[in-house]
Amino acid sequence: MGKEMSRVALASTDNRKQGVKASWDALKINPVKGKDVLIKPNFNTADSTPGSTHNDTLVALVEESWAKGAKTISLGERSYPLTQEVMQQKGVLPLLEKLQVRILDFDHLRASDWVEFQPKNSHWKKGFRIARPIVESECLISTCCLKTHQFGGVFTLSLKLHVGVVPTVRHGFEYMRELHSSPHQRKMIAEINEPFKPHLVILDGVDAFVDGGPATGKRAKGDVFLASTDRVAVDAVGVATLKVLGSNAAIMNSKIFEQEQISRAAEIGLGASSPSEIEVVPANAQSQDACKKGVEMLQKG
């Protein structure tokens, strides 16, 4: 028996509501039924999408989760500025209240609710901490954007999204300073992901940054949604999509599985370890062309 294939569903669309539903449905899974669902968005800042999760994507994800039988839905986040301010600037608070979504502002966690992890062979000097709601989530959905990252990450997709579950200096911890000053930053990003596993990852690539990022950058129309249960596979297909769109040298001049976030994540067993372990499936007939281009680029590396 070979290693099980990691499935990534691709929906070609510029309609976010359709993109969420089509990509999720194509996976043929329902991890939310009867579960307490926690959504982790990209609210690092309140900058317009892909600087942050589009409100339409978030609303569609919540509505689809309710439709698929979620027991409860919460949203959990730690932003770069004060999390409450980012949510206010984005105008999501009244939307979430109307949709009966509980907000978990990680800025208000007690010190004991940042759970410490010290993985073996980690590039973190003394390990790191993860927000308890993430670690203990019955059903975690992570939703990310499609973009490059000019400050050392190279790209910020599903693996880098989870930097937002680690505390900052304002919570009394020095982890972000350590991360941003380390030559091993991209490997450390991957390692943050080891203590937990999302039950679903949805990537909104309707709009992309092909250079710059994460808050602002050079824009391109990706018109794609990706869905998977495998963070490594989503990021690999995401980087392939950036290559198809035409991106910066850090993306274009490196093999996908030689990117340090991806190679380290694969090394520690977080998902697919090569393009041959990823199956990209079109969500519908109109997605076949984009799917073919993505698969060709993925296989080319």
Side-chain angles (χ1 to χ4, degrees):
M1 288 283 286
K3 190 173 176 182
E4 191 178 328
M5 295 287 280
S6 293
R7 176 177 283 225
V8 178
L10 184 152
S12 185
T13 182
D14 62 358
N15 181 302
R16 290 185 161 91
K17 186 178 176 69
Q18 289 175 7
V20 167
K21 181 168 176 52
S23 61
W24 185 347
D25 284 352
L27 285 181
K28 297 182 169 61
I29 61 168
N30 184 2
V32 305
K33 189 170 177 138
K35 300 285 175 64
D36 294 315
V37 175
L38 176 62
I39 297 173
K40 163 68 176 85
N42 182 340
F43 287 174
N44 188 52
T45 64
D47 291 274
S48 60
T49 307
S52 65
T53 298
H54 198 287
N55 288 5
D56 291 353
T57 300
L58 185 60
V59 168
L61 198 49
V62 170
E63 288 179 341
E64 193 61 25
S65 295
W66 282 131
K68 283 178 161 53
K71 182 180 170 189
T72 67
I73 304 177
S74 302
L75 179 139
E77 180 63 300
R78 186 276 295 158
S79 304
Y80 171 59
L82 288 173
T83 307
Q84 179 80 7
E85 288 178 8
V86 170
M87 291 193 192
Q88 284 172 340
Q89 285 169 26
K90 283 190 59 63
V92 297
L93 297 172
L95 290 174
L96 293 172
E97 186 179 9
K98 187 178 170 188
L99 290 163
Q100 296 180 288
V101 176
R102 181 183 172 214
I103 294 167
L104 301 177
D105 180 342
F106 294 165
D107 286 351
H108 299 148
L109 290 179
R110 297 170 301 184
S112 60
D113 284 329
W114 292 106
V115 185
E116 189 172 8
F117 291 93
Q118 296 192 1
K120 288 179 184 173
N121 305 316
S122 170
H123 291 82
W124 292 86
K125 289 172 186 165
K126 296 178 181 175
F128 50 83
R129 284 175 168 81
I130 302 283
R132 188 179 297 280
I134 295 286
V135 179
E136 296 183 354
S137 173
E138 190 176 25
C139 178
L140 175 63
I141 298 178
S142 297
T143 187
C144 51
C145 301
L146 181 63
K147 54 186 175 179
T148 49
H149 190 283
Q150 64 186 309
F151 303 117
V154 179
F155 53 88
T156 175
L157 307 173
S158 75
L159 291 163
K160 180 105 179 39
L161 175 78
H162 296 116
V163 172
V165 305
V166 176
T168 71
V169 172
R170 73 172 178 267
H171 309 113
F173 300 103
E174 299 285 334
Y175 297 123
M176 292 303 103
R177 285 180 182 167
E178 181 187 352
L179 177 67
H180 294 134
S181 63
S182 174
H184 304 298
Q185 179 182 153
R186 291 171 293 282
K187 293 176 182 175
M188 293 162 75
I189 289 164
E191 290 164 358
I192 285 167
N193 286 265
E194 195 172 359
F196 60 93
K197 184 182 189 304
H199 297 78
L200 176 66
V201 178
I202 301 263
L203 181 149
D204 172 356
V206 172
D207 297 293
F209 289 149
V210 292
D211 196 18
T216 58
K218 181 182 175 186
R219 290 177 170 273
K221 288 298 286 181
D223 288 342
V224 70
F225 263 78
L226 303 176
S228 185
T229 58
D230 181 338
R231 289 161 286 185
V232 186
V234 163
D235 281 20
V237 178
V239 173
T241 306
L242 289 172
K243 283 178 177 265
V244 170
L245 292 173
S247 192
N248 60 28
I251 296 290
M252 302 305 287
N253 298 342
S254 295
K255 293 279 192 185
I256 294 170
F257 271 83
E258 289 173 9
Q259 291 281 3
E260 284 186 315
Q261 281 191 57
I262 289 174
S263 64
R264 181 60 179 151
E267 188 178 36
I268 60 178
L270 299 186
S273 56
S274 72
S276 64
E277 293 175 4
I278 300 172
E279 179 190 11
V280 187
V281 296
N284 44 38
Q286 73 185 53
S287 306
Q288 286 175 351
D289 186 50
C291 191
K292 185 166 176 265
K293 286 180 184 170
V295 168
E296 285 172 358
M297 187 62 78
L298 179 67
Q299 290 173 345
K300 200 162 98 177

